[in-house]
Amino acid sequence: MKKLGSLLLVSVFAGAITLGAYKLFFENTNYTVVTENDNNSVFNTSYTPTSAKGSGINEIDFTVAAENTVNAVVHVKNVTMSRGGNSFMDFFYGQGGSQVPQVGTGSGVIISADGYIVTNNHVVAKASKLQVTLNNNKTYDANLIGTDPNTDIALLKIDVTDKLPYLAFGDSDNTKIGEWVLAVGNPFNLTSTVTAGIVSAKARDLGKNQSFIQTDAAVNPGNSGGALVNTNGDLVGINTAITSQTGSYVGYSFAVPSNIAKKVVDDILEYGNVQKGMLGINSINGNTPYAIQNGLNEIDGVFVESVVEDSGAMDADLKHGDVIKKVDNINVHKFADLTGYISTKRPADTVQVTIDRDGDTLEIPVILKERQTLHLPEMGLEVKNLTEKDKKKYKVKSGVRIIGVPEKYRGYGLDGKILISVDGEEINDIQEARTLFANISRFGKTVITLMNENGEKERLIFQ
């Protein structure tokens, strides 16, 4: 009897051990097993099981963010007047062609309950009339408050009696690569369309010293000016561009970061134009033969090739050869990281610039100054305010000096000359140049007047 009892006890004990081992090694999914391959590979192999819900994708709820966003995203209609083709009577009597309305569409984002709307500059450019349609199908005439062609941001206002749903600006500096985002807009006039994707890259430079958020959320013509939001429904970007050989979405879309857009609309409301602080350094594209030959393409940071005269960088004694590693609390890996952050600052703001100088790490306060140069996207020219030395040399009282010319205009002899007027309108500084070039007609001719080093006027006509 005793032997039978002992045998029963041993059986129960063995069964408990077996069951416990089964539970531990076979039923528990929250474990990681790392083993070495039989072929003695030097690399370890992980057998951590993936989530039963598809690595967490089904745990994300887009519905609340989508519902809030579609009610704050509007359909923008832009009516422009262009001159139609000449008829026989127009030719015979010397009259111009008749005015023909052309309609363009895009999107916009309501950013205040009283009707302020942010959109892209290219959505509203050349508009003779602007209309905004809300998600509830109510339509309003919109007033253009101000634009900034360089960041492609514009601010509209509609007059409303009731409070409107709107989106709060998020902090685009805190967005992370791989984070889920929603793009909301009106592609191909399909109103209130929501697409989802992830942040594919940050500080993407598309050749205009811009700093875009890149996503794989589907964006098509008509989405321009619409919202890019995170899963909380916070506005982290304004959808602006796609990269495509067909004109339609092929996997890449770009948005102006919300921190830049917010700064632009704040400046427009407070100052009437955009206040752009300038650090004042020039760098070298890491893909150029010179950069590759000298190892500059391998630098993690921004290499200071030169320092701009009369800039905050010059006052702070930044030098050729310095490598900028950080600005305030923002890590800088490339030039677009730097320009993206500086674009959120104004003249007289102080930033802490961390540099590597010959192996030593230095933190230098730099007071930003007013920007003296400007890119004119309509023709791709880079212009600079005149110094007293320039005025004396060229025998002019006003104008801007052309310091950069795109490839297609290289043969016109523009570089280094003084641009004094556009279509008969005098230019005094880079801000006036920006305004006048933004008003250039896409359908007519443009006449620019230049002054060369000999004090002689030159006129160029662009069709």
Side-chain angles (χ1 to χ4, degrees):
M1 189 68 178
K2 289 183 178 180
K3 289 184 178 180
L4 183 60
S6 299
L7 183 59
L8 179 61
L9 182 61
V10 170
S11 299
V12 170
F13 184 66
I17 292 176
T18 303
L19 180 61
Y22 178 82
K23 290 283 188 180
L24 177 62
F25 292 106
F26 294 96
E27 285 196 356
N28 185 6
T29 59
N30 296 319
Y31 65 90
T32 300
V33 178
V34 178
T35 185
E36 294 184 359
N37 293 335
D38 294 337
N39 59 3
N40 296 321
S41 170
V42 297
F43 303 106
N44 290 333
T45 302
S46 172
Y47 291 105
T48 305
T50 57
S51 167
K53 294 185 177 181
S55 300
I57 187 172
N58 293 329
E59 298 172 7
I60 303 297
D61 183 4
F62 298 119
T63 58
V64 175
E67 183 177 356
N68 292 337
T69 305
V70 294
N71 292 309
V73 172
V74 301
H75 194 203
V76 179
K77 184 166 72 172
N78 170 0
V79 180
T80 61
M81 301 301 294
S82 65
R83 190 169 298 281
N86 291 330
S87 66
F88 174 78
M89 294 299 291
D90 293 328
F91 175 79
F92 187 79
Y93 288 105
Q95 300 171 353
S98 57
Q99 293 289 313
V100 178
Q102 292 194 343
V103 178
T105 60
S107 304
V109 184
I110 304 172
I111 55 173
S112 69
D114 59 347
Y116 280 103
I117 296 169
V118 63
T119 185
N120 286 147
N121 174 69
H122 75 263
V123 170
V124 299
K126 311 294 186 299
S128 57
K129 183 178 181 180
L130 289 168
Q131 284 189 331
V132 165
T133 302
L134 308 187
N135 194 42
N136 61 9
N137 293 323
K138 290 185 177 179
T139 299
Y140 300 86
D141 289 334
N143 297 313
L144 180 61
I145 305 301
T147 68
D148 180 36
N150 289 282
T151 57
D152 200 15
I153 292 296
L155 182 64
L156 310 179
K157 178 68 167 64
I158 59 175
D159 294 327
V160 293
T161 54
D162 298 326
K163 290 185 177 181
L164 298 177
Y166 67 94
L167 292 182
F169 282 101
D171 185 354
S172 54
D173 288 338
N174 287 336
T175 57
K176 299 185 185 327
I177 295 175
E179 177 182 347
W180 282 102
V181 286
L182 300 178
V184 185
N186 305 282
F188 304 117
N189 286 324
L190 300 172
T191 58
S192 306
T193 297
V194 181
T195 57
I198 62 169
V199 175
S200 306
K202 295 178 63 177
R204 185 68 80 194
D205 186 352
L206 299 184
K208 299 179 181 179
N209 290 334
Q210 267 276 29
S211 182
F212 291 99
I213 296 173
Q214 179 182 329
T215 81
D216 65 352
V219 168
N220 279 293
N223 272 111
S224 291
L228 186 73
V229 301
N230 58 23
T231 53
N232 294 327
D234 299 325
L235 184 64
V236 296
I238 301 297
N239 296 315
T240 299
I242 58 176
T243 295
S244 171
Q245 296 179 341
T246 65
S248 298
Y249 173 77
V250 292
Y252 306 100
S253 58
F254 303 90
V256 177
S258 59
N259 287 359
I260 295 177
K262 182 177 185 299
K263 190 260 182 184
V264 169
V265 298
D266 284 344
D267 281 357
I268 290 173
L269 284 175
E270 186 172 353
Y271 303 102
N273 55 45
V274 179
Q275 305 290 298
K276 295 194 175 182
M278 182 184 70
L279 184 63
I281 64 102
N282 294 314
S283 189
I284 292 178
N285 190 322
N287 295 324
T288 61
Y290 175 84
I292 296 172
Q293 182 179 355
N294 290 274
L296 303 182
N297 59 316
E298 299 178 359
I299 291 177
D300 183 19
V302 173
F303 179 81
V304 178
E305 171 63 20
S306 62
V307 178
V308 177
E309 182 182 359
D310 192 29
S311 67
M314 176 167 282
D315 292 345
D317 201 29
L318 266 63
K319 302 178 184 296
H320 165 79
D322 290 343
V323 177
I324 299 175
K325 309 290 285 187
K326 183 182 286 190
V327 182
D328 290 339
N329 63 337
I330 302 297
N331 292 321
V332 173
H333 302 287
K334 53 189 176 182
F335 194 63
D337 292 326
L338 178 64
T339 57
Y341 183 71
I342 296 298
S343 294
T344 67
K345 300 297 179 181
R346 297 187 176 98
D349 284 349
T350 299
V351 295
Q352 299 295 324
V353 180
T354 303
I355 64 169
D356 182 318
R357 179 177 290 172
D358 299 325
D360 295 327
T361 299
L362 305 175
E363 185 174 298
I364 301 174
V366 179
I367 301 175
L368 303 180
K369 289 193 173 182
E370 186 175 355
R371 184 181 294 272
Q372 298 297 312
T373 63
L374 197 65
H375 177 76
L376 303 174
E378 292 77 14
M379 288 185 63
L381 301 176
E382 193 82 17
V383 295
K384 182 180 184 297
N385 281 332
L386 297 181
T387 63
E388 291 303 320
K389 183 178 179 181
D390 290 329
K391 293 178 181 179
K392 185 176 181 180
K393 177 181 178 180
Y394 290 90
K395 301 180 180 65
V396 294
K397 295 181 179 179
S398 62
V400 293
R401 185 157 62 92
I402 300 173
I403 59 174
V405 180
E407 187 70 33
K408 64 179 179 179
Y409 294 135
R410 290 279 169 84
Y412 289 82
L414 299 174
D415 204 2
K417 293 180 179 177
I418 306 301
L419 178 59
I420 58 177
S421 71
V422 177
D423 292 333
E425 297 288 336
E426 185 178 295
I427 296 174
N428 290 301
D429 55 30
I430 58 175
Q431 299 300 333
E432 286 191 4
R434 178 182 64 177
T435 300
L436 292 174
F437 272 86
N439 292 329
I440 289 176
S441 173
R442 293 174 292 174
F443 306 102
K445 64 182 180 180
T446 297
V447 180
I448 65 173
T449 305
L450 308 166
M451 189 74 74
N452 62 28
E453 291 186 2
N454 299 323
E456 302 168 338
K457 286 186 178 181
E458 300 177 358
R459 295 175 71 238
L460 290 176
I461 301 176
F462 295 89
Q463 294 292 107

